[in-house]
Amino acid sequence: MKVAVFALDSVPPEMLFEKLLDKLPNTKRMYQRGMHGVLRTCHPPITVPAWMVMMTGKNPGKLGIYGFRHRKPSSYTEGYIVNSSHVKERTVWEILAEKGKRSIVIGIPPSYPVKHKENVTMVSCFLTPSQERDFTNPSELKQEILKITGGRYLFDVTFRVEDRERIKRELFEMTEKRFDIAEYLIKNNPWDLFILHEIGFDRLHHAFWKFFDPRHPKHIKGNEYERIDEEYYSMVDERIGRLMGMFPDDCITFFLSDHGSAPMMGAFCVNEWLESVGYLKFKQKPTNKVEIEKAEVDWSKTKAWGWGGYYARIFFNVAGREPNGIVPQEELEYEKKRLTQLIREIKDEDGRPMDNRVFEPESLYGIAMGDKPDLMVYFDNLRWRSAGTVGHNSIYLHENDTGPDDSVHSMNGIFLMYNPQKSYTERLVQVRAEDIAPTILSLFGLEGELKSIDGAVIREVKE
């Protein structure tokens, strides 16, 4: 028995199972015979923590991973990008490797720097700085990859730019080459578990959502990219069909996504707002857009500041924790509650209440390891992203502050399981991201290998 996972980053159920399903013959065949449903992702619905939750069965608090970027402890200006070295929990392929099972893992984030392990054939993820680095396990596989891809392997595309034609060209090239590599590795490597992650869906959504979704506030009917979602999903569907034709008859296949996507309604300037309610003070307020880390913040009078992204991270300037902290430790909980109430009272630019959600990591996860924010905020339940820059002279933006971006993340991803030896006839399930690792391990008879996990085996898969 083998298990294959197509890790389709950012695909929402409304796109794959509804709008485009009739255009995707291979997906539709598995949808009709397999088991499908909604995968409820983790908080926050961000790529790096979400895939590691699925691959370890542990929540972001236990992983200590809350996004791509974390703040360095006690620093107002320095952060770091999460990479594979920050993942301390065992992944499904690492557990299988210890039992002598072999895996092919392509692109799952974060997998750079590559961990050189026996029984794991790996090509690292979109966070890899360049193809000049050591990005494969074994290392010598790199030259084979470059030969297959004509000397140019794309880990990612630059997508927050106006040149949509270049994004489209590189997006299709990147994904086609990823599947070329997958076919090569399937042909030439023994395996028990196969995982292929494709970041292209996420880039398609962020760069082109306003072009194909009439619900987007900036949609223009009849534009030249109106069918790009169908074109891209169809290309991937055809390549998935080719790959599945190479799988044995006893291969159980999963389609998963780490979060959903939705049209972006706007960007809320979290630091401009914090200044307006007295929590943030400037020595000299910027009159042009600048990152908060480069602004002249008066830290001796600032109680809190925030970071931008699909969700806002808010940090308090705590005495004894930050270099110029002014919030006494014993008043931190009071300040959290006060600011939470103020955030919940925020209205949009038309005066309508926003559905703002505020979370404390400790309350959300029980255990919150690592460099966590003090508060996590979803503006209008993620329909608005957070703009961390300042100097806008407004708290509402109609564009992303770090470059063109049409979509936001949502909590519902996809779950589809196909077993060629069974027919499930439209069985619907709702699963959690934490359930994926124990379910995969259970198919190999190894569910007991995960300790203190937050998920459970998906019962319907085992039946």
Side-chain angles (χ1 to χ4, degrees):
M1 193 272 293
K2 297 180 188 294
V3 174
V5 177
F6 290 104
L8 311 179
D9 206 289
S10 174
V11 171
E14 312 88 78
M15 289 281 279
L16 194 69
F17 297 158
E18 296 176 21
K19 179 185 178 183
L20 298 176
L21 187 63
D22 287 340
K23 311 287 186 183
L24 311 173
N26 293 301
T27 304
K28 185 173 183 177
R29 175 169 52 86
M30 288 173 274
Y31 176 90
Q32 290 176 326
R33 288 201 59 206
M35 180 194 309
H36 67 273
V38 167
L39 184 147
R40 191 70 174 169
T41 193
C42 63
H43 292 287
I46 302 295
T47 293
V48 167
W51 285 116
M52 281 302 103
V53 169
M54 281 190 268
M55 295 298 116
T56 65
K58 307 291 178 71
N59 70 37
K62 287 181 180 156
L63 293 170
I65 298 175
Y66 307 94
F68 287 98
R69 194 166 58 115
H70 285 191
R71 181 172 75 104
K72 286 187 176 178
S74 301
S75 175
Y76 296 118
T77 58
E78 294 184 76
Y80 62 89
I81 303 296
V82 170
N83 63 41
S84 63
S85 70
H86 299 106
V87 180
K88 305 301 183 187
E89 301 288 344
R90 293 188 302 167
T91 59
V92 289
W93 61 84
E94 289 171 337
I95 292 172
L96 288 170
E98 293 168 5
K99 303 298 179 183
K101 300 287 186 183
R102 295 158 297 192
S103 297
I104 296 172
V105 183
I106 304 170
I108 201 81
S111 52
Y112 181 85
V114 169
K115 296 177 181 177
H116 293 283
K117 291 184 177 291
E118 191 177 357
N119 293 325
V120 179
T121 300
M122 176 169 280
V123 180
S124 66
C125 68
F126 69 94
L127 295 169
T128 308
S130 80
Q131 66 181 33
E132 306 308 315
R133 303 295 182 92
D134 178 11
F135 67 87
T136 62
N137 183 47
S139 296
E140 51 268 29
L141 175 61
K142 170 182 170 179
Q143 294 308 317
E144 296 174 55
I145 299 298
L146 293 178
K147 184 177 180 181
I148 294 164
T149 56
R152 173 181 153 96
Y153 179 61
L154 297 177
F155 296 96
D156 197 0
V157 299
T158 302
F159 63 98
R160 288 199 179 108
V161 293
E162 293 291 354
D163 187 353
R164 300 303 201 285
E165 214 34 52
R166 183 190 59 72
I167 301 173
K168 179 181 178 182
R169 185 174 61 252
E170 292 189 349
L171 180 63
F172 280 72
E173 177 190 349
M174 174 182 71
T175 302
E176 291 273 21
K177 287 182 173 179
R178 195 112 59 220
F179 276 86
D180 289 344
I181 289 170
E183 290 183 9
Y184 175 82
L185 294 178
I186 287 284
K187 284 179 186 173
N188 294 286
N189 291 270
W191 58 281
D192 300 287
L193 173 67
F194 168 80
I195 300 175
L196 171 61
H197 173 265
E198 181 48 65
I199 191 64
F201 291 95
D202 186 84
R203 296 347 189 188
L204 171 81
H205 297 159
H206 286 305
F208 292 99
W209 195 283
K210 72 180 179 186
F211 295 99
F212 60 73
D213 185 354
R215 298 173 302 163
H216 196 287
K218 294 191 174 183
H219 177 72
I220 300 174
K221 189 174 176 55
N223 70 77
E224 61 184 314
Y225 301 115
E226 205 163 25
R227 291 183 60 251
I228 192 172
D229 55 338
E230 180 183 331
E231 294 169 13
Y232 182 82
Y233 275 68
S234 294
M235 179 267 287
V236 175
D237 179 78
E238 191 272 331
R239 296 303 303 256
I240 285 177
R242 278 171 51 174
L243 260 180
M244 293 190 67
M246 301 167 68
F247 294 165
D249 290 340
D250 64 345
C251 181
I252 294 176
T253 302
F254 292 90
F255 286 33
L256 307 171
S257 66
D258 53 333
H259 54 77
S261 297
M264 188 183 87
M265 294 294 109
F268 186 82
C269 299
V270 61
N271 286 312
E272 303 269 1
W273 177 81
L274 284 167
E275 186 206 19
S276 73
V277 293
Y279 272 78
L280 176 62
K281 301 288 186 183
F282 292 101
K283 293 178 181 174
Q284 180 72 41
K285 185 169 182 181
T287 55
N288 296 306
K289 186 180 80 172
V290 64
E291 296 171 4
I292 185 66
E293 291 84 358
K294 297 177 181 175
E296 293 187 59
V297 176
D298 186 346
W299 295 109
S300 69
K301 298 178 181 174
T302 289
K303 286 186 175 180
W305 76 105
W307 273 13
Y310 298 108
Y311 78 104
R313 297 183 222 196
I314 292 181
F315 307 99
F316 284 89
N317 194 19
V318 180
R321 192 182 74 176
E322 274 70 40
N324 299 300
I326 62 169
V327 177
Q329 187 73 48
E330 60 272 21
E331 295 180 14
L332 180 58
E333 290 307 311
Y334 165 79
E335 293 291 357
K336 284 182 184 178
K337 287 182 173 59
R338 181 168 180 264
L339 195 58
T340 295
Q341 185 58 39
L342 290 173
I343 291 169
R344 287 173 176 160
E345 294 170 358
I346 292 173
K347 294 181 170 58
D348 69 13
E349 56 190 331
D350 296 320
R352 293 174 296 215
M354 297 177 81
D355 182 14
N356 295 336
R357 314 282 176 95
V358 187
F359 306 97
E360 288 186 53
E362 292 82 357
S363 301
L364 201 54
Y365 309 117
I367 297 172
M369 309 280 285
D371 300 320
K372 54 190 176 295
D374 293 306
L375 295 176
M376 301 160 61
V377 181
Y378 300 170
F379 290 116
D380 208 19
N381 196 17
L382 296 166
R383 286 181 282 270
W384 287 62
R385 60 172 285 137
S386 169
T389 52
V390 293
H392 299 287
N393 198 30
S394 172
I395 58 174
Y396 307 104
L397 302 179
H398 298 128
E399 296 280 1
N400 176 36
D401 62 334
T402 57
D405 195 338
D406 293 347
S407 70
V408 289
H409 293 185
S410 57
M411 293 298 294
N412 288 343
I414 60 162
F415 174 84
L416 172 62
M417 192 277 285
Y418 172 70
N419 181 345
Q421 298 181 344
K422 290 184 179 180
S423 178
Y424 293 89
T425 317
E426 297 186 13
R427 289 191 66 177
L428 293 168
V429 293
Q430 179 160 333
V431 305
R432 299 174 300 163
E434 294 91 332
D435 299 336
I436 301 302
T439 300
I440 290 174
L441 291 174
S442 76
L443 294 172
F444 291 101
L446 297 171
E447 58 265 45
E449 286 296 317
L450 285 175
K451 307 297 183 188
S452 303
I453 61 169
D454 300 287
V457 174
I458 303 167
R459 178 177 50 80
E460 292 90 340
V461 170
K462 290 285 287 179
E463 289 177 349

